[in-house]
Amino acid sequence: MVLPRGREIRDRVLASDPGLSRLRSAVSVTVSLGSVLGVEYLLARLTGAAPTGVLTGMMVGAIVAMMGSMALVQGGAWAKAKTAVFFPVAFGAGMVPGAAVSARPSLMLAGFVVVMFLAVFVRRFGPAFFFYGFMAWIGYFFASFLHATMATLPSMLLAIVVATAWVLLLSVTLLRTNATRTLGQVVHAFDARGRALTRACADLLANRDPRHEARLRKRVQARQARIAEAALMVEAWSAQPGALPEGLSAARLRRTMVEAHHLLDQLATAAYALLSSGSGLSVLAAEVADRLARGDDRGAAEVAYRFAGLAERAGGTTGGWWPARHFATAALDLVPVLARAPKPGPAGAEPVDDFEPAVGLAFGNLPGSAAAAGDVPARHTRWNPLSRLDFTTRQAVQGALAGALAILVGKELSDTRYYWAVLAAFIMFTGTATRTETFIKGFNRVLGTLLGLLASIGMAELTAGSTAAVLATICACMFFGFYLIRISYACMIFFLTIMLGQLYSALNEFSAGLLVLRLEETAAGAAVGLLVALVVTPLSTRDTVRQARDNLLGALGELLSAAATRLGRAPGESDFDALARTLDHRLYQLALVARPLTRPVLGGTTSPRLRHRLSLYAALATHGRALAVAMRSPAGTCARHPDGPVAACTALATAVEELSEGEPGAARPAAADPLARADVALFAYTPAAAGDRATDPVLRALTHVYHVLRDLTATGPPELRRAPSLPAPTVPRLYRQVRAGLPVTPDR
């Protein structure tokens, strides 16, 4: 069976853009911008505005369209109206003081710095204030640099009110986001990414060239991370009002997604083990994975049944029979789970009040790195009192100081265009958290400007003299810029630079010298922003990674403690699906803030040791999710003899707590004692044969968590790592019980 070409393309698009959020954002900005320009032109004609007034109204309306279309992504009509009603207020808050000081250059520049501080400071009051602050900053900029007066402000504010009303109308009608359809698209993206993972597993299992094995393994790991991202998107969208299809609860959807996620990871883990065994059974496993990738679930199930029977008959006589059995079981369990995934349908009831998503949405997407860095202290707290401020205030100080320095440097290059340097410096502290992220954003801005400058010269010649071609190019640049912004900031700046070149061409101000000046001002602003990020309240990327690591270990410790409570039949109930999703979210944050350290930047900052440790943290999340699934109905050895698993969970929870408190690379491995107690509880006290230990899902998950934690505490080469000090086999059982933290009971 081969997927139809149309479905294959659709699956690829949905997998690359869960919920079509990038496409929707790009279309919204393009439609809003194009239509607002026409509305503002008609308004200016109706009010008899002068040519400069027409241009000013269209420029202000374009800013409202771009920002409003991003701010009004989520929520119902009433929620969007409550957000949009303050757009004119925010613009007015910047325009009034800007007009008041426009005739006094020194006072105007000082006010510019104050407005930059306030524009960032107000972000603490909620997501909408991110846009309100930026609107106030833009309002001040327009009023002061266009030399607006109090007499001209009413016409500018009227243009803003009209643009706001138009964008709001579009957001609740033509550009309205259907939450139910979007949730269905995100679930479809999860399914498509899951089948892409099975395709990667099939390629890995079918590979016979050792030179390609490392690359194929990395592809499998990368696709596992993409599945986790899609799963978190499902989690976030399922909490949106009216998103759930009729007859489906958010908790049930979460359980289905956690189970599917667990089975896909189990499939990949079994593929690794099967490949390492060198067994010929990998050929049949590759066929199972290939059929799953092509959507032939029935055929995959038939081959998996045959595969499982072959593995059982081979038993211990054939290498790889055990991972083959796990692979076949995971494939057979996965088919019905994928079939239960919800499809887009009629909207159901509002989400239940007690459903708490592990992650929320930020303008239709998962939150960025700033959400993980909010509690991380800045460097130099001993001598710099500014470093003791909270994250938002520190960024406000950085933005204001960078803007002030950019004014001084930018004016040395141009007395009239220095605002390009100010904009570059200010934007560097938007959407970034650490100093490495700030550097990367500034570098991408300069690179995008340079490449866009070269393209602008050629595009200006192609569209010269054609207003329609200029407008079409501007709209196309807006679409591609906003579609690619979350993939590459440099691409967004590339298209933005082309768009500005087209605007200057339409205004008869285009010249290569002007674009070169923009490049120089942008580079100067980026350099200033980087200097401020390094010197003034710097936030270390490694400190942020360490905090995200501690959050991940804390989530794992909470899951282990809940498992101990459930196994010990103590009072209290825990939602293990929610704990598993929280663990996934913490891993996503860790990968997000560690990304700058795992990618070569101007010579390379990548560290093989860091990559290895990140893979271990990913394994912890995988095995923690497996434990959460197993704890739904613990049975087998753990049900018959709970004392050992309870003590193991408690010891492992203590181990992750100690591990989060220790400094990475310490001379003495952290958590040695609790890991020793966990070893005794799992292997010396829990009565389980080898086969029972491998088939009991709770014991298997706990054993994997134990081994990964052992690897994380290792500080030297593998051959020099010591095993935890354990009692000798001849030590009496009573001592083993005390050492493992188990209750001392008579022999049973």
Side-chain angles (χ1 to χ4, degrees):
M1 175 182 175
V2 179
L3 283 177
R5 186 63 178 172
R7 180 181 170 185
E8 182 181 356
I9 294 175
R10 179 170 178 262
D11 285 353
R12 286 179 178 272
V13 171
L14 288 173
S16 66
D17 185 13
L20 300 179
S21 59
R22 292 202 318 270
L23 179 62
R24 187 179 298 108
S25 174
V27 170
S28 295
V29 171
T30 305
V31 172
S32 298
L33 176 67
S35 58
V36 157
L37 291 177
V39 170
E40 294 292 352
Y41 180 80
L42 291 176
L43 175 66
R45 289 301 185 190
L46 291 175
T47 57
T52 55
V54 175
L55 181 60
T56 301
M58 294 177 68
M59 292 174 62
V60 171
I63 297 295
V64 174
M66 285 189 292
M67 304 195 69
S69 59
M70 292 185 289
L72 303 178
V73 172
Q74 296 172 229
W78 177 238
K80 291 179 179 180
K82 288 192 296 184
T83 301
V85 74
F86 291 101
F87 288 176
V89 176
F91 273 102
M95 284 183 168
V96 171
V101 300
S102 61
R104 304 175 183 178
S106 299
L107 191 59
M108 182 267 289
L109 294 177
F112 202 16
V113 175
V114 174
V115 171
M116 280 189 282
F117 173 84
L118 295 176
V120 180
F121 184 80
V122 297
R123 293 176 187 173
R124 66 181 63 247
F125 300 117
F129 284 87
F130 176 92
F131 294 99
Y132 294 154
F134 204 86
M135 288 174 180
W137 185 82
I138 290 292
Y140 185 92
F141 170 80
F142 268 96
S144 56
F145 283 92
L146 294 178
H147 303 291
T149 63
M150 292 299 178
T152 59
L153 280 187
S155 61
M156 296 178 67
L157 289 174
L158 176 62
I160 292 171
V161 170
V162 171
T164 299
W166 180 254
V167 172
L168 176 61
L169 178 63
L170 289 177
S171 71
V172 298
T173 54
L174 181 63
L175 302 177
R176 181 177 65 89
T177 300
N178 186 308
T180 305
R181 184 182 301 113
T182 302
L183 176 60
Q185 291 168 343
V186 175
V187 173
H188 194 142
F190 177 90
D191 178 86
R193 289 187 174 188
R195 296 189 187 278
L197 173 63
T198 61
R199 165 55 56 202
C201 290
D203 293 340
L204 178 64
L205 291 167
N207 175 58
R208 294 295 177 265
D209 190 344
R211 295 173 299 176
H212 298 159
E213 183 175 328
R215 176 176 57 84
L216 293 173
R217 283 179 178 269
K218 288 181 180 179
R219 181 186 297 175
V220 173
Q221 293 173 355
R223 292 187 176 179
Q224 284 182 278
R226 283 164 57 83
I227 288 175
E229 180 187 8
L232 290 173
M233 287 284 286
V234 174
E235 175 85 2
W237 273 103
S238 63
Q240 294 299 303
L244 295 168
E246 191 173 357
L248 180 67
S249 69
R252 202 180 96 199
L253 175 60
R254 171 194 275 167
R255 170 159 293 202
T256 301
M257 290 295 104
V258 169
E259 187 176 357
H261 195 176
H262 162 63
L263 291 172
L264 286 165
D265 277 339
Q266 190 176 2
L267 196 77
T269 303
Y272 288 140
L274 192 58
L275 186 68
S276 300
S277 70
S279 169
L281 294 172
S282 60
V283 176
L284 209 54
E287 183 180 351
V288 174
D290 177 68
R291 288 178 179 271
L292 285 173
R294 291 186 282 112
D296 184 11
D297 293 346
R298 182 175 179 178
E302 292 175 354
V303 178
Y305 272 118
R306 184 155 41 93
F307 183 36
L310 182 61
E312 289 294 335
R313 288 192 298 273
T317 62
T318 303
W321 72 275
W322 192 249
R325 179 181 179 184
H326 280 288
F327 189 94
T329 303
L332 290 171
D333 291 343
L334 183 62
V335 170
V337 172
L338 292 178
R340 293 200 304 267
K343 304 298 186 293
E350 296 290 312
V352 290
D353 294 335
D354 60 350
F355 179 76
E356 291 288 342
V359 58
L361 290 173
F363 315 120
N365 295 282
L366 296 178
S369 59
D375 298 328
V376 182
R379 292 288 181 95
H380 313 320
T381 54
R382 292 183 178 179
W383 61 266
N384 186 356
L386 294 177
S387 297
R388 301 167 195 161
L389 300 173
D390 61 87
F391 176 75
T392 306
T393 308
R394 292 200 309 265
Q395 278 210 320
V397 172
Q398 288 178 318
L401 183 57
L405 294 176
I407 290 173
L408 299 177
V409 175
K411 286 182 74 67
E412 292 296 321
L413 296 173
S414 172
D415 283 334
T416 57
R417 307 287 185 179
Y418 63 89
Y419 52 81
W420 282 331
V422 179
L423 182 63
F426 183 74
I427 291 296
M428 285 184 69
F429 299 98
T430 300
T432 59
T434 65
R435 53 192 179 189
T436 306
E437 283 186 326
T438 305
F439 165 73
I440 291 175
K441 186 166 188 177
F443 175 78
N444 284 331
R445 188 173 185 89
V446 175
L447 177 63
T449 301
L450 173 61
L451 298 178
L453 182 152
L454 299 176
S456 294
I457 297 175
M459 289 299 300
E461 294 180 359
L462 290 176
T463 61
S466 174
T467 304
V470 169
L471 292 176
T473 303
I474 290 174
C475 290
C477 287
M478 290 300 299
F479 175 84
F480 287 111
F482 278 88
Y483 184 74
L484 297 173
I485 185 172
R486 288 197 297 275
I487 298 177
S488 171
Y489 184 66
C491 288
M492 192 268 186
I493 298 301
F494 169 79
F495 286 106
L496 181 62
T497 304
I498 296 177
M499 185 193 73
L500 289 176
Q502 294 293 298
L503 285 175
Y504 286 123
S505 177
L507 297 173
N508 297 319
E509 295 183 12
F510 179 84
S511 68
L514 182 64
L515 293 181
V516 170
L517 177 61
R518 172 175 166 77
L519 176 63
E520 293 173 346
E521 294 281 2
T522 299
V528 167
L530 176 61
L531 178 65
V532 171
L534 293 175
V535 177
V536 182
T537 66
L539 185 61
S540 167
T541 303
R542 296 191 180 275
D543 289 348
T544 309
V545 170
R546 188 171 297 122
Q547 179 66 50
R549 176 208 67 175
D550 293 346
N551 292 339
L552 171 67
L553 294 174
L556 178 62
E558 186 178 354
L559 174 60
L560 290 166
S561 298
T565 301
R566 171 72 62 85
L567 290 171
R569 298 181 177 87
E573 284 294 327
S574 298
D575 186 346
F576 285 93
D577 296 325
L579 292 173
R581 273 295 164 253
T582 301
L583 189 63
D584 289 328
H585 180 218
R586 298 306 184 190
L587 177 64
Y588 173 79
Q589 289 183 320
L590 174 60
L592 192 64
V593 298
R595 187 177 298 168
L597 300 180
T598 59
R599 293 183 175 181
V601 180
L602 292 182
T605 60
T606 184
S607 166
R609 183 173 182 272
L610 176 62
R611 286 182 179 273
H612 174 65
R613 294 184 72 83
L614 288 175
S615 68
L616 292 178
Y617 291 126
L620 275 182
T622 298
H623 300 315
R625 192 183 314 110
L627 177 62
V629 172
M631 290 309 302
R632 293 174 182 172
S633 55
T637 302
C638 290
R640 297 191 302 271
H641 307 282
D643 289 346
V646 168
C649 288
T650 304
L652 290 174
T654 305
V656 297
E657 182 180 357
E658 291 189 10
L659 192 62
S660 64
E661 293 174 354
E663 290 292 327
R668 178 180 180 274
D673 291 338
L675 283 178
R677 294 197 299 272
D679 189 296
V680 174
L682 281 172
F683 304 110
Y685 189 75
T686 302
D692 294 337
R693 190 177 300 281
T695 54
D696 189 300
V698 175
L699 277 181
R700 188 168 65 245
L702 290 176
T703 302
H704 286 314
V705 169
Y706 163 77
H707 284 300
V708 175
L709 289 176
R710 278 282 315 280
D711 286 343
L712 281 172
T713 58
T715 56
E719 62 272 12
L720 300 180
R721 297 174 186 172
R722 292 183 179 181
S725 55
L726 299 174
T730 57
V731 175
R733 181 183 175 195
L734 177 63
Y735 178 81
R736 296 205 308 269
Q737 289 181 240
V738 174
R739 179 69 184 270
L742 295 168
V744 179
T745 57
D747 288 345
R748 288 176 279 188

